[in-house]
Amino acid sequence: MESRLLSLTFALFLLGGCSARVVTVSPGPLIRVEGQPVSIRCDVNEYGGPREQDFEWEMSRDANGAKIKIISTFDTSYSHQSVSKRVASGDISVVRLKDNEAELKIAEVKALDAGFYWCQTPSTDSVISGNYEAQVQLTVIPNTLKVSPQTPPPSVPEGSDLTLTCNVTRELTYPTYLSVTWLVKKGTASEEILTFGPQGDVATGAKFARRYADGGIRLVPGKNGAFELVISRVTTSDEGIYECNGTEWAHETGGKWIKIVESTKEMGTVAVTPTGRSLSVKASSSSSSSSSSSSSSSLLSPGDTLTLLCSVAADNLAAVTPEVTWLADGREIITMERSGVVASNGSGTQGRRGEASLERTGAGEYRLAVRAVSGEDGGLYACRVRAFIEKGGRSSGGGGRWHMAAEKTSGPVTVKVSEIKPSFTLNLKASQNPQMTAEPTELACHVTNITQLPPGGRLGISWEHTPLPGIGDDPQTSHTIASLDGNGNLSPGSMYAERLKSGVLSLSRVQPNTFKLRFLRTQEIDMGQYVCNVSSWSVNSQGVLLRTAVHESSPLTVRWDTKRPSLNVVAKRIREASVGGATFEMSCSVATENVGDAGYSVLIQSQDSLDSNVRTIMTLSPDNVMQHGGATDPNRRDSLVLTKSGPAEFRFRLAGVQLSDRGFYWCDITAWTKQQPGQTWTRATSSESNKVRIDFQENGPSFSIAIQSDASSVYPWETAKMECSLSVSGSSPKTDDLAYEVNWFFTRLRGGQTTTQVASVDRFGVVRKVDRNSSSDISIERKDTHTYLLNIFGTQDSDSGEYHCIATPWYLSASTGAWTEAGELMSSRIFLTVKFAVWDSLKLPLLYGAAASLGVGLFSLVFGLVCAQCCCRNTTHTPRSRNKLMDLEMD
């Protein structure tokens, strides 16, 4: 067994010793530029011995030439004298990267450094196996890379294109490749814009990727190393210092690209001139028919055509897409969008009846035309231009992103339309003046001395009201009641729309020159000053009815001595509740002043004491809709009644009063008025009545009990009956509101103390019997509300003794509304005797015994005769003996 283990251990040792050392260096040949740093890595694997390995570097000009020792990781005197100074100065060094990896570094490679390099690792293996050195060739070429950028323009207009030209070349002695990169420097950091090469591919910086995808950045390769980068539609964010970077690359074995030399040159600083700095907008007039014309004003006659020009100029006008809008008194009237679509702003031209059009007549020239002008078209006109620049390139097919570069508005052009306005005089009078609230009011506005009203002209009116101080929310504000235009269309004011719709307020034209305003029922808020504004309307050349003039009348004050409505409510008791369960009833009478025809809402309220919280019992609306208040018990709502017993009288009834109903009761009545039937109620005034009190003491009923029996003694097996009677005095409750619990007790000895319960019946009528050591049976019978009967069937001697009943009355209290238990009542005792009759006890046994004896005797006699006749007689004939004496003996 031991020999087998030794053999296995030796075999595993030999298997582990089969691994071979592998030394590798960077794949070559390595092409590097003179004066640039060079790094050659070397690593060793599959080795034995310590983890940390040492490295030695040698080189030779030729593959088979003499080797020169360069540097070692463990021997400081290893270097050849020809390179010892460079090693000492650090120009040549070795850096350990890992235990099994090191790197040879040459800070500035020279042409004489070209040749073959060997990396050697001294053996630490127990068995020499594998390779202990690796070779790589280093080729050193001269630095012929040249970067020659062209200086860009120092300033470019916003929206124009910026071309950045850079020339990158080198002498092609070995297979190397070039790349060119454009950068922009803002502050201290440089951002990469775009890189071309070395494989012919394009890479963009993170901030310029979308712009390149949209075509906003384009690369234009040229000849002889010339490259152009075009940035389309520059914005102010493109300002900065632009740089050009040229890089020479080597493609080593394994597909790895190595940057061998690069050069960066500053191209120059580029500033972007904002569009707003050079953008100019000018509006001028050029009316087709005007009595005077200038660049800042225009005078027209009604029906003329207004023509205004908007001139737009900018340094980069070709790169700008404008949006042109004409404004009249600050309101937009028409807009030409950047797509060329013209849109008329209807909401901005409200009241302007001229037909407007806008067209582009040339580069930066836009013409506004308003045909058939009227007086409403006069005002200050201005041209507003918003300059947009597309961020996407021209190759993106117009799908780029737009941003507004600038916005400017021209100076105003004054447009006046001369016309002869109609003239007339207004006279406002009150044809019906109210003397108190709720009376009708009528105002008449007469138009006289009408001149200059053209044929077909019409009149319209607008009524305005200003409340008196102290009435309304804001007495200084004038409110429009309603207006009638030239076509007779009614436009109500917001505060009066509901009253106009309901017909309480009306506007009318009774004659062509007379207008009336009528209130059917005037309210206090209607007091104040009234003004009628009469407007003249005429038809223009296009058949449109336009307002030409407005005249305002002198204010007319409407007021009266206000008599405040008053309300007096008196409550009186109709039925007094002196005991619980009784009915309480009170009436509330209303007396009014200065109210007129009114409806009343009633609140029945109560409180336990004068300092306690107020509860609402019931409510009655002006439309006689009754509702229960939150303080009403849902189970007692049928006991509450609130009715209108007269035009101004109400009655409240509470049936079955309880202790919880004690307190003070009164009516809270509000008077309401209506402008006319079908309208909503308006509150006039309210008042509370005097308080009526419910106060009584709880006096429950009195009960008594008695017991009696139909017989004081009975014979055995007879039925004994005992009656327990109760009576009520005082406030006797109803039959359905009364119940008893009755218990029957039995005492065997007269005057004894040992009492046992016989049976019971609870107030719900459930009978319970107690187990007894007797053959008799019992039952309890309720004869009427107050009488209970105990029956003992088949009485026995054990049923003799004293009997009494105990009753507990229960009644439904009218004061509390709950079942109440009265005191327990015990009756007197009655004695029941079960007699013992001797003859009655013996006659049956004696009769049964005599009958049994007689029967047995008769049976014995008959049985003897039968036996004598049938069993003892001799049937053979015997002759009589002669001897008579003998015969007699025999007989």
Side-chain angles (χ1 to χ4, degrees):
M1 185 64 182
E2 292 179 356
S3 61
R4 291 181 180 178
L5 291 175
L6 291 174
S7 300
L8 180 61
T9 303
F10 182 71
L12 292 174
F13 175 76
L14 291 177
L15 183 61
C18 290
S19 60
R21 175 184 291 257
V22 179
V23 178
T24 57
V25 294
S26 302
L30 305 178
I31 301 175
R32 298 295 184 266
V33 177
E34 185 178 2
Q36 299 299 313
V38 176
S39 298
I40 304 175
R41 288 193 179 186
C42 179
D43 59 49
V44 58
N45 293 286
E46 305 298 333
Y47 58 90
R51 294 180 58 185
E52 185 176 292
Q53 296 290 298
D54 289 311
F55 298 86
E56 296 174 348
W57 290 90
E58 295 179 348
M59 70 89 60
S60 173
R61 300 285 192 277
D62 300 323
N64 300 320
K67 295 180 180 180
I68 300 174
K69 296 182 178 180
I70 302 175
I71 195 169
S72 173
T73 59
F74 67 94
D75 187 1
T76 57
S77 61
Y78 179 80
S79 304
H80 189 268
Q81 63 181 0
S82 61
V83 296
S84 59
K85 290 183 179 180
R86 296 178 66 185
V87 172
S89 65
D91 185 34
I92 299 177
S93 62
V94 62
V95 178
R96 181 182 295 279
L97 302 179
K98 297 179 182 178
D99 290 340
N100 64 332
E101 186 176 357
E103 185 177 52
L104 173 66
K105 287 191 173 185
I106 303 176
E108 294 182 2
V109 69
K110 304 180 186 304
L112 55 85
D113 293 329
F116 295 88
Y117 287 78
W118 284 269
C119 173
Q120 300 176 349
T121 59
S123 175
T124 59
D125 303 328
S126 59
V127 177
I128 302 300
S129 178
N131 67 310
Y132 288 83
E133 66 178 13
Q135 174 190 343
V136 65
Q137 182 181 3
L138 174 64
T139 302
V140 181
I141 62 175
N143 187 359
T144 60
L145 178 66
K146 293 183 180 180
V147 179
S148 303
Q150 292 184 9
T151 303
S155 178
V156 293
E158 184 179 13
S160 61
D161 295 348
L162 173 62
T163 301
L164 301 173
T165 304
C166 186
N167 192 289
V168 180
T169 60
R170 54 89 173 80
E171 294 181 5
L172 185 61
T173 56
Y174 284 89
T176 59
Y177 304 86
L178 295 177
S179 69
V180 58
T181 301
W182 285 269
L183 304 99
V184 60
K185 187 176 183 181
K186 299 178 181 180
T188 58
S190 295
E191 299 176 0
E192 180 183 344
I193 302 174
L194 182 141
T195 298
F196 175 67
Q199 292 180 277
D201 55 340
V202 175
T204 59
K207 294 185 178 180
F208 297 89
R210 182 174 180 180
R211 196 168 178 183
Y212 175 77
D214 293 341
I217 297 177
R218 307 191 311 276
L219 176 66
V220 184
K223 296 181 180 180
N224 300 324
F227 300 91
E228 289 185 355
L229 181 70
V230 180
I231 302 177
S232 302
R233 301 182 182 274
V234 296
T235 63
T236 54
S237 62
D238 295 322
E239 293 181 332
I241 301 173
Y242 285 85
E243 299 173 337
C244 178
N245 173 276
T247 303
E248 189 173 359
W249 301 78
H251 194 204
E252 296 182 349
T253 304
K256 186 177 181 182
W257 288 92
I258 301 296
K259 181 190 299 184
I260 58 178
V261 67
E262 67 176 341
S263 176
T264 301
K265 297 293 181 67
E266 184 177 301
M267 304 182 71
T269 301
V270 177
V272 179
T273 304
T275 302
R277 189 177 300 173
S278 61
L279 179 65
S280 64
V281 181
K282 182 181 179 182
S284 60
S285 63
S286 178
S287 180
S288 62
S289 174
S290 61
S291 58
S292 65
S293 177
S294 66
S295 60
S296 60
S297 63
S298 178
L299 180 60
L300 303 173
S301 299
D304 290 346
T305 298
L306 171 64
T307 303
L308 299 177
L309 299 178
C310 180
S311 302
V312 183
D315 294 343
N316 59 335
L317 187 61
V320 171
T321 302
E323 178 187 273
V324 181
T325 301
W326 278 97
L327 309 174
D329 293 334
R331 295 175 295 178
E332 298 181 1
I333 59 174
I334 195 169
T335 299
M336 178 179 286
E337 299 176 353
R338 60 174 185 265
S339 61
V341 177
V342 178
S344 177
N345 193 334
S347 61
T349 59
Q350 184 177 3
R352 300 184 179 273
R353 301 302 182 182
E355 182 181 351
S357 63
L358 179 61
E359 61 180 345
R360 184 173 182 264
T361 59
E365 297 292 333
Y366 300 87
R367 181 172 63 191
L368 170 69
V370 181
R371 290 181 289 275
V373 297
S374 64
E376 298 293 340
D377 293 311
L380 298 177
Y381 285 74
C383 176
R384 183 187 68 196
V385 175
R386 291 174 176 170
F388 288 86
I389 295 179
E390 187 178 10
K391 287 187 176 181
R394 292 183 176 87
S395 62
S396 62
R401 293 168 290 118
W402 294 86
H403 85 101
M404 188 174 68
E407 177 181 338
K408 279 194 175 180
T409 303
S410 69
V413 175
T414 303
V415 176
K416 298 180 179 179
V417 180
S418 61
E419 57 181 341
I420 301 176
K421 296 184 179 181
S423 176
F424 42 83
T425 304
L426 302 181
N427 184 15
L428 178 60
K429 292 183 178 180
S431 56
Q432 191 172 1
N433 211 355
Q435 302 300 319
M436 60 179 296
T437 305
E439 288 188 353
T441 301
E442 187 176 82
L443 305 180
C445 184
H446 301 280
V447 184
T448 58
N449 302 325
I450 302 175
T451 59
Q452 305 297 335
L453 184 65
R458 303 176 184 179
L459 298 178
I461 191 169
S462 173
W463 292 91
E464 293 185 357
H465 170 238
T466 303
L468 292 177
I471 300 178
D473 297 334
D474 189 0
Q476 304 300 323
T477 303
S478 178
H479 304 288
T480 299
I481 300 174
S483 62
L484 291 172
D485 62 9
N487 290 321
N489 298 318
L490 175 64
S491 298
S494 59
M495 295 182 60
Y496 297 87
E498 186 65 27
R499 299 173 70 180
L500 282 165
K501 183 179 179 181
S502 64
V504 176
L505 176 64
S506 63
L507 276 73
S508 60
R509 184 202 306 262
V510 295
Q511 293 180 1
N513 60 340
T514 302
F515 301 89
K516 285 191 176 183
L517 173 67
R518 180 176 177 80
F519 294 87
L520 294 182
R521 293 175 63 89
T522 311
Q523 304 177 11
E524 287 188 19
I525 59 174
D526 296 328
M527 289 193 297
Q529 291 184 340
Y530 288 83
V531 172
C532 63
N533 297 315
V534 177
S535 56
S536 60
W537 299 73
S538 59
V539 181
N540 64 3
S541 58
Q542 296 179 343
V544 179
L545 191 65
L546 301 177
R547 186 173 58 185
T548 56
V550 178
H551 290 263
E552 181 178 307
S553 70
S554 300
L556 174 65
T557 302
V558 175
R559 66 182 306 164
W560 60 89
D561 294 334
T562 58
K563 297 179 181 180
R564 298 291 179 182
S566 63
L567 196 67
N568 184 32
V569 183
V570 177
K572 60 181 179 179
R573 184 184 291 105
I574 303 299
R575 297 168 65 181
E576 183 174 2
S578 58
V579 295
T583 299
F584 168 77
E585 185 174 358
M586 73 173 183
S587 68
C588 294
S589 301
V590 183
T592 61
E593 291 183 3
N594 302 320
V595 175
D597 295 335
Y600 301 98
S601 63
V602 182
L603 277 72
I604 303 299
Q605 296 181 319
S606 70
Q607 59 184 162
D608 296 337
S609 63
L610 296 178
D611 298 330
S612 61
N613 295 330
V614 176
R615 304 185 303 268
T616 299
I617 307 299
M618 302 183 73
T619 63
L620 188 67
S621 70
D623 297 319
N624 294 324
V625 178
M626 190 273 292
Q627 291 182 340
H628 291 276
T632 304
D633 185 357
N635 297 324
R636 300 187 60 201
R637 289 184 175 178
D638 293 340
S639 303
L640 299 172
V641 178
L642 176 60
T643 59
K644 184 176 183 180
S645 57
E649 183 180 7
F650 301 89
R651 287 201 176 189
F652 168 69
R653 183 167 62 251
L654 172 59
V657 296
Q658 302 176 4
L659 289 176
S660 59
D661 297 325
R662 292 184 297 183
F664 297 91
Y665 290 77
W666 68 94
C667 298
D668 186 348
I669 298 181
T670 302
W672 302 81
T673 59
K674 279 187 177 182
Q675 295 292 325
Q676 66 177 13
Q679 299 304 310
T680 58
W681 291 99
T682 302
R683 182 181 180 278
T685 184
S686 63
S687 178
E688 291 184 356
S689 70
N690 56 302
K691 297 181 179 181
V692 178
R693 187 175 185 182
I694 297 178
D695 188 14
F696 62 91
Q697 299 298 324
E698 171 66 16
N699 294 319
S702 299
F703 297 91
S704 61
I705 189 171
I707 188 172
Q708 60 183 359
S709 176
D710 58 347
S712 60
S713 62
V714 294
Y715 289 101
W717 301 101
E718 290 185 347
T719 299
K721 296 183 179 182
M722 285 168 278
E723 187 178 88
C724 186
S725 301
L726 296 106
S727 59
V728 186
S729 61
S731 57
S732 177
K734 298 178 182 179
T735 302
D736 295 338
D737 298 340
L738 183 62
Y740 298 97
E741 290 182 0
V742 181
N743 295 272
W744 292 88
F745 294 90
F746 167 69
T747 304
R748 181 171 296 278
L749 300 177
R750 187 184 297 275
Q753 299 299 322
T754 303
T755 301
T756 59
Q757 186 174 357
V758 178
S760 66
V761 57
D762 60 14
R763 60 192 180 106
F764 302 107
V766 178
V767 177
R768 293 179 177 85
K769 296 188 291 185
V770 180
D771 294 337
R772 303 166 59 247
N773 295 325
S774 176
S775 60
S776 61
D777 193 12
I778 61 174
S779 68
I780 297 179
E781 176 185 354
R782 181 181 179 184
K783 298 177 64 177
D784 54 38
T785 304
H786 308 286
T787 305
Y788 292 83
L789 184 64
L790 175 66
N791 297 312
I792 305 177
F793 302 100
T795 55
Q796 300 295 326
D797 181 61
S798 59
D799 295 324
S800 297
E802 288 183 337
Y803 290 84
H804 69 277
C805 61
I806 297 177
T808 303
W810 288 82
Y811 64 93
L812 186 63
S813 175
S815 302
T816 62
W819 283 93
T820 303
E821 181 182 3
E824 189 176 78
L825 304 173
M826 186 171 67
S827 69
S828 58
R829 300 190 180 192
I830 61 173
F831 195 85
L832 176 65
T833 303
V834 180
K835 299 178 180 180
F836 181 74
V838 178
W839 170 244
D840 292 339
S841 300
L842 294 179
K843 64 182 180 180
L844 289 178
L846 291 175
L847 180 60
Y848 294 157
S853 300
L854 180 59
V856 171
L858 291 176
F859 176 74
S860 300
L861 180 59
V862 173
F863 182 75
L865 291 175
V866 171
C867 289
Q869 291 294 328
C870 295
C871 297
C872 298
R873 187 176 63 179
N874 190 2
T875 59
T876 305
H877 176 72
T878 301
R880 179 175 298 272
S881 175
R882 293 178 179 177
N883 189 350
K884 294 183 179 181
L885 292 175
M886 184 62 72
D887 293 335
L888 290 173
E889 289 178 0
M890 290 302 294
D891 292 334

